Amino acid sequence: MVSGQPQSSHGDSRAVSRQEAPSAPARAGLAGLPLPLIQAVTCGLIARLLTAWLGPGFHARDDYFHVLAPALAWIDDPTFRWEESALPGAGLRSHLFPRLIQGGIALCQTLGVTDPEHVLSMLHAGLGLYSALLIPAMWLLCRNLGCHQQTTNLATWLAALHFAMPYVGTRLLIESMAMPPLLVGLAFCAKQSTRGLLVGGFWIGLS
Protein backbone atom coordinates (compact mmCIF):
# COMPACT_ATOMS: atom_id res chain seq x y z
CA MET A 1 0.00 0.00 0.00
CA VAL A 2 1.44 3.35 -1.02
CA SER A 3 1.56 6.05 1.71
CA GLY A 4 0.48 9.56 0.81
CA GLN A 5 3.22 11.14 2.93
CA PRO A 6 6.35 12.40 1.13
CA GLN A 7 9.39 10.16 1.37
CA SER A 8 13.01 11.41 1.78
CA SER A 9 15.23 10.94 -1.21
CA HIS A 10 18.87 9.84 -0.87
CA GLY A 11 19.58 11.34 -4.27
CA ASP A 12 18.35 14.76 -3.15
CA SER A 13 20.45 14.64 0.01
CA ARG A 14 23.56 13.79 -1.98
CA ALA A 15 22.85 16.64 -4.42
CA VAL A 16 22.53 19.08 -1.53
CA SER A 17 25.77 17.86 0.02
CA ARG A 18 27.59 18.47 -3.23
CA GLN A 19 26.56 22.11 -3.35
CA GLU A 20 29.40 24.53 -2.61
CA ALA A 21 29.13 26.18 0.76
CA PRO A 22 28.79 29.95 0.58
CA SER A 23 31.88 32.05 1.26
CA ALA A 24 32.07 32.93 4.94
CA PRO A 25 32.46 36.63 5.62
CA ALA A 26 35.88 37.73 6.81
CA ARG A 27 36.21 38.30 10.54
CA ALA A 28 36.16 41.92 11.58
CA GLY A 29 39.27 43.38 13.15
CA LEU A 30 40.34 46.85 14.22
CA ALA A 31 37.86 49.62 13.35
CA GLY A 32 35.62 47.07 11.67
CA LEU A 33 38.17 46.29 8.95
CA PRO A 34 38.47 42.64 7.86
CA LEU A 35 41.08 40.82 9.93
CA PRO A 36 42.79 39.16 6.91
CA LEU A 37 43.24 42.60 5.34
CA ILE A 38 44.76 44.02 8.53
CA GLN A 39 47.15 41.08 8.76
CA ALA A 40 48.21 41.39 5.11
CA VAL A 41 48.76 45.16 5.35
CA THR A 42 50.79 44.76 8.56
CA CYS A 43 53.04 42.06 7.09
CA GLY A 44 53.36 43.99 3.82
CA LEU A 45 54.47 47.13 5.66
CA ILE A 46 57.04 45.22 7.70
CA ALA A 47 58.44 43.55 4.57
CA ARG A 48 58.70 46.86 2.74
CA LEU A 49 60.39 48.70 5.60
CA LEU A 50 62.90 45.87 6.07
CA THR A 51 63.60 45.85 2.33
CA ALA A 52 64.13 49.61 2.32
CA TRP A 53 66.57 49.42 5.23
CA LEU A 54 68.45 46.22 4.35
CA GLY A 55 68.42 46.56 0.55
CA PRO A 56 69.91 49.92 -0.45
CA GLY A 57 70.89 50.65 -4.01
CA PHE A 58 69.22 50.88 -7.39
CA HIS A 59 67.28 48.47 -9.56
CA ALA A 60 68.12 49.98 -12.97
CA ARG A 61 69.52 53.09 -14.58
CA ASP A 62 66.02 54.59 -14.52
CA ASP A 63 66.21 54.87 -10.72
CA TYR A 64 69.11 57.27 -10.97
CA PHE A 65 69.08 59.08 -14.31
CA HIS A 66 65.30 59.56 -14.61
CA VAL A 67 64.47 60.21 -10.95
CA LEU A 68 67.26 60.81 -8.46
CA ALA A 69 69.70 62.75 -10.66
CA PRO A 70 67.25 65.52 -11.64
CA ALA A 71 65.96 65.67 -8.05
CA LEU A 72 69.49 66.22 -6.73
CA ALA A 73 70.12 68.80 -9.46
CA TRP A 74 67.03 70.77 -8.42
CA ILE A 75 68.20 70.64 -4.80
CA ASP A 76 71.54 72.18 -5.81
CA ASP A 77 70.08 74.60 -8.36
CA PRO A 78 66.33 75.37 -8.35
CA THR A 79 66.68 76.86 -11.85
CA PHE A 80 68.07 73.59 -13.29
CA ARG A 81 66.40 72.71 -16.61
CA TRP A 82 66.28 68.96 -16.83
CA GLU A 83 65.11 68.72 -20.44
CA GLU A 84 68.09 70.83 -21.61
CA SER A 85 70.70 69.01 -19.51
CA ALA A 86 73.23 66.38 -20.54
CA LEU A 87 71.67 63.70 -18.30
CA PRO A 88 70.82 60.48 -20.19
CA GLY A 89 67.19 60.52 -21.28
CA ALA A 90 66.81 64.09 -20.05
CA GLY A 91 63.20 65.21 -19.92
CA LEU A 92 61.77 62.01 -21.40
CA ARG A 93 59.76 61.25 -18.27
CA SER A 94 57.26 63.27 -16.27
CA HIS A 95 58.62 65.81 -13.80
CA LEU A 96 56.11 64.69 -11.14
CA PHE A 97 58.04 61.79 -9.63
CA PRO A 98 61.48 63.50 -9.56
CA ARG A 99 59.85 66.58 -8.01
CA LEU A 100 58.31 64.42 -5.28
CA ILE A 101 61.73 62.87 -4.63
CA GLN A 102 63.21 66.37 -4.49
CA GLY A 103 60.71 67.18 -1.76
CA GLY A 104 61.64 63.98 0.08
CA ILE A 105 65.34 64.88 -0.04
CA ALA A 106 64.58 68.39 1.21
CA LEU A 107 62.56 66.91 4.08
CA CYS A 108 65.46 64.63 5.02
CA GLN A 109 67.79 67.62 5.10
CA THR A 110 65.34 69.54 7.26
CA LEU A 111 65.29 66.61 9.70
CA GLY A 112 69.09 66.62 9.79
CA VAL A 113 69.59 63.48 7.68
CA THR A 114 72.43 64.21 5.26
CA ASP A 115 74.25 60.89 4.84
CA PRO A 116 73.49 59.78 1.24
CA GLU A 117 72.82 56.16 2.21
CA HIS A 118 70.45 57.17 5.00
CA VAL A 119 68.65 59.62 2.71
CA LEU A 120 68.21 56.89 0.10
CA SER A 121 66.93 54.46 2.74
CA MET A 122 64.38 57.01 3.94
CA LEU A 123 63.24 57.63 0.37
CA HIS A 124 62.86 53.89 -0.17
CA ALA A 125 60.94 53.56 3.12
CA GLY A 126 58.57 56.35 2.09
CA LEU A 127 57.95 54.65 -1.24
CA GLY A 128 57.35 51.39 0.60
CA LEU A 129 54.67 52.97 2.79
CA TYR A 130 53.04 54.42 -0.31
CA SER A 131 53.22 51.15 -2.24
CA ALA A 132 51.42 49.36 0.61
CA LEU A 133 48.26 51.13 -0.55
CA LEU A 134 47.96 48.56 -3.32
CA ILE A 135 47.21 45.89 -0.68
CA PRO A 136 43.79 47.28 0.36
CA ALA A 137 43.26 48.29 -3.27
CA MET A 138 43.65 44.65 -4.30
CA TRP A 139 41.23 43.59 -1.57
CA LEU A 140 38.68 46.14 -2.77
CA LEU A 141 39.10 45.09 -6.40
CA CYS A 142 38.46 41.43 -5.58
CA ARG A 143 35.44 42.28 -3.45
CA ASN A 144 33.94 44.46 -6.18
CA LEU A 145 34.50 41.66 -8.70
CA GLY A 146 32.57 39.29 -6.45
CA CYS A 147 35.50 36.94 -5.91
CA HIS A 148 35.29 34.08 -3.42
CA GLN A 149 36.72 34.95 0.00
CA GLN A 150 39.65 32.56 -0.42
CA THR A 151 40.53 34.15 -3.77
CA THR A 152 40.33 37.62 -2.23
CA ASN A 153 42.61 36.60 0.63
CA LEU A 154 45.14 34.98 -1.72
CA ALA A 155 45.30 38.00 -4.05
CA THR A 156 45.67 40.35 -1.08
CA TRP A 157 48.53 38.35 0.40
CA LEU A 158 50.25 38.21 -2.99
CA ALA A 159 50.04 42.01 -3.17
CA ALA A 160 51.53 42.16 0.31
CA LEU A 161 54.31 39.58 0.22
CA HIS A 162 54.98 38.34 -3.31
CA PHE A 163 58.77 38.66 -3.54
CA ALA A 164 58.56 41.35 -6.24
CA MET A 165 56.18 43.63 -4.33
CA PRO A 166 58.38 44.74 -1.39
CA TYR A 167 61.35 45.08 -3.72
CA VAL A 168 59.76 47.02 -6.59
CA GLY A 169 57.67 49.03 -4.14
CA THR A 170 60.79 50.43 -2.49
CA ARG A 171 62.74 51.42 -5.61
CA LEU A 172 62.78 54.80 -7.36
CA LEU A 173 60.73 53.47 -10.25
CA ILE A 174 57.79 54.94 -12.14
CA GLU A 175 56.12 51.53 -11.87
CA SER A 176 56.15 51.67 -8.08
CA MET A 177 54.30 54.98 -8.21
CA ALA A 178 51.78 53.79 -10.80
CA MET A 179 50.61 50.55 -9.15
CA PRO A 180 48.46 51.89 -6.27
CA PRO A 181 46.35 54.36 -8.34
CA LEU A 182 46.02 51.74 -11.10
CA LEU A 183 44.59 49.16 -8.67
CA VAL A 184 42.32 51.79 -7.08
CA GLY A 185 41.03 52.75 -10.54
CA LEU A 186 40.34 49.13 -11.46
CA ALA A 187 38.51 48.63 -8.16
CA PHE A 188 36.18 51.54 -8.90
CA CYS A 189 35.62 50.37 -12.49
CA ALA A 190 34.68 46.92 -11.19
CA LYS A 191 31.57 48.47 -9.62
CA GLN A 192 30.25 48.84 -13.20
CA SER A 193 28.42 52.07 -12.39
CA THR A 194 28.68 55.41 -14.13
CA ARG A 195 30.22 57.05 -11.10
CA GLY A 196 32.58 54.12 -10.59
CA LEU A 197 33.76 54.25 -14.18
CA LEU A 198 34.37 58.02 -14.00
CA VAL A 199 36.28 57.84 -10.72
CA GLY A 200 38.14 54.72 -11.83
CA GLY A 201 39.07 56.31 -15.14
CA PHE A 202 40.54 59.29 -13.29
CA TRP A 203 42.77 57.09 -11.13
CA ILE A 204 43.84 54.92 -14.05
CA GLY A 205 44.69 58.04 -16.05
CA LEU A 206 46.69 59.38 -13.09
CA SER A 207 48.68 56.16 -12.94
Side-chain angles (χ1 to χ4, degrees):
M1 183 175 182
V2 179
S3 173
Q5 295 182 353
Q7 302 295 320
S8 61
S9 171
H10 294 293
D12 291 344
S13 63
R14 287 194 296 268
V16 172
S17 66
R18 288 197 297 267
Q19 290 180 357
E20 181 180 358
S23 175
R27 290 179 294 170
L30 184 65
L33 295 174
L35 184 59
L37 174 59
I38 295 175
Q39 294 170 336
V41 170
T42 301
C43 292
L45 284 173
I46 293 173
R48 283 159 173 77
L49 292 177
L50 287 175
T51 302
W53 183 255
L54 300 176
F58 302 98
H59 170 71
R61 67 192 302 274
D62 296 15
D63 303 34
Y64 183 80
F65 289 114
H66 291 173
V67 180
L68 188 60
L72 291 172
W74 284 320
I75 289 288
D76 294 335
D77 179 12
T79 63
F80 171 73
R81 297 184 63 83
W82 181 24
E83 59 276 5
E84 297 177 1
S85 70
L87 290 175
L92 293 179
R93 300 286 184 90
S94 168
H95 283 226
L96 177 60
F97 192 20
R99 287 291 186 181
L100 290 174
I101 296 302
Q102 175 193 2
I105 297 172
L107 177 61
C108 289
Q109 294 177 345
T110 301
L111 296 176
V113 180
T114 56
D115 182 273
E117 289 188 6
H118 291 166
V119 171
L120 191 58
S121 293
M122 291 189 68
L123 292 175
H124 286 170
L127 289 172
L129 294 175
Y130 165 78
S131 75
L133 293 174
L134 68 87
I135 304 172
M138 178 63 79
W139 173 277
L140 183 61
L141 172 61
C142 292
R143 299 296 286 181
N144 288 346
L145 288 173
C147 296
H148 191 275
Q149 186 62 53
Q150 291 180 345
T151 302
T152 300
N153 291 343
L154 176 60
T156 304
W157 278 102
L158 284 174
L161 292 180
H162 184 279
F163 71 91
M165 294 297 99
Y167 176 74
V168 174
T170 55
R171 302 301 103 177
L172 302 177
L173 296 170
I174 300 297
E175 293 81 358
S176 65
M177 292 294 293
M179 285 189 292
L182 177 61
L183 263 292
V184 170
L186 292 175
F188 274 103
C189 289
K191 292 183 175 182
Q192 298 184 357
S193 65
T194 301
R195 181 176 180 273
L197 291 173
L198 289 175
V199 176
F202 168 79
W203 286 107
I204 292 174
L206 180 64
S207 69

